[in-house]
Amino acid sequence: LAQAFHGFPIEVFFLPMAGYAVQEDDEVLIEELPNDNKSAFQSSKDKAKDLSYYYAHQPESEKGFPSEAVIRQVADPSKVADGMGPKQLGGNKKVELDNVRWIDSMSYSDDGKLVKVYIDFPEDIKGSEITCEWERFGVELIVQCPSGKIFGVRVRDAEGWILEHERKNGFAHEIVPEKCKYRVSSSGPKISLTLAKKDENEKWYELKKKDIRSTF
């Protein structure tokens, strides 16, 4: 039989298999390509679209994307794919720390495996944009109010410490950042922080670590 493969004429021969005799009335189904001067490559793509065998070998630039697809350019993918769960793309604006009004006053309670920290704000924070970053011994909470004012809470170790007795200003004991969370109160301009203790049996007698030299 004469047939075409990728635009080139070939002869197709059918050889009988062992133990099988070809009968004169055996039917062979051959799919004929339309006579439109298209190659087998193009005809397959037109018929099967992205299910075509050749689709995998097509350049990415020619495949295209669905009309509803949203393509975002990310300067540093590591800022998005950091293994810490889903993040909103194209989101928070960079905060100028010089414009932040830092709040130092807060109360706390030791609740067994957790420590609760309570923070009062000087104005309504409903509808505010809030970011919270946790560390082993600290936290930084930024509240951007609809009024334009920016409030912040920061607990962080002083730099340069190596041994535990040299550490100061951070939380009294180590926490588990990925298990900590914050909650905005529905009854007023308040936010509560829930700290997950690294050592669940350790009692917190103070919220922040003091400089041991100040006790002498």
Side-chain angles (χ1 to χ4, degrees):
L1 294 175
Q3 187 56 274
F5 182 73
H6 283 216
F8 297 95
I10 61 173
E11 292 289 334
V12 180
F13 298 93
F14 294 92
L15 299 178
M17 298 175 60
Y20 179 80
V22 178
Q23 304 296 326
E24 293 183 359
D25 57 351
D26 284 349
E27 295 183 358
V28 178
L29 179 62
I30 299 177
E31 181 179 0
E32 296 184 0
L33 296 177
N35 186 21
D36 52 9
N37 296 324
K38 292 184 178 180
S39 65
F41 176 85
Q42 188 61 47
S43 296
S44 175
K45 290 200 300 179
D46 292 345
K47 181 178 180 180
K49 306 297 181 186
D50 56 346
L51 298 179
S52 167
Y53 166 79
Y54 300 102
Y55 182 76
H57 304 283
Q58 185 179 6
E60 293 291 334
S61 59
E62 297 180 9
K63 290 182 180 180
F65 294 93
S67 58
E68 66 273 13
V70 177
I71 303 175
R72 299 181 185 273
Q73 298 294 330
V74 180
D76 185 359
S78 66
K79 299 298 183 182
V80 178
D82 59 0
M84 297 298 290
K87 287 184 171 51
Q88 182 178 356
L89 297 178
N92 302 329
K93 299 178 181 179
K94 185 176 180 180
V95 175
E96 294 292 339
L97 296 182
D98 291 340
N99 299 326
V100 177
R101 303 182 183 186
W102 297 102
I103 297 176
D104 296 322
S105 177
M106 60 190 79
S107 59
Y108 82 100
S109 63
D110 189 320
D111 290 351
K113 297 180 180 180
L114 305 173
V115 173
K116 297 290 186 66
V117 180
Y118 308 96
I119 307 162
D120 290 308
F121 291 83
E123 68 174 61
D124 187 16
I125 59 174
K126 184 178 180 181
S128 297
E129 184 176 345
I130 300 174
T131 58
C132 188
E133 297 182 2
W134 301 93
E135 299 176 358
R136 291 169 54 210
F137 295 99
V139 64
E140 182 175 278
L141 179 78
I142 301 295
V143 179
Q144 301 182 64
C145 300
S147 64
K149 293 181 181 180
I150 305 175
F151 299 98
V153 175
R154 177 188 283 168
V155 178
R156 181 173 294 173
D157 282 331
E159 296 181 357
W161 69 275
I162 299 177
L163 302 178
E164 174 62 22
H165 71 270
E166 299 174 323
R167 190 174 65 81
K168 61 180 179 179
N169 299 340
F171 285 133
H173 305 286
E174 187 173 356
I175 62 175
V176 184
E178 58 269 23
K179 293 183 178 180
C180 298
K181 58 185 178 180
Y182 72 88
R183 177 180 176 274
V184 179
S185 174
S186 59
S187 60
K190 301 178 182 180
I191 289 181
S192 61
L193 306 178
T194 300
L195 315 182
K197 295 180 181 179
K198 179 69 178 295
D199 183 349
E200 297 178 349
N201 297 318
E202 192 166 33
K203 186 70 175 177
W204 285 40
Y205 294 102
E206 57 185 4
L207 180 61
K208 297 181 182 180
K209 181 69 178 290
K210 296 179 181 178
D211 185 353
I212 191 173
R213 291 172 297 183
S214 65
T215 61
F216 294 100

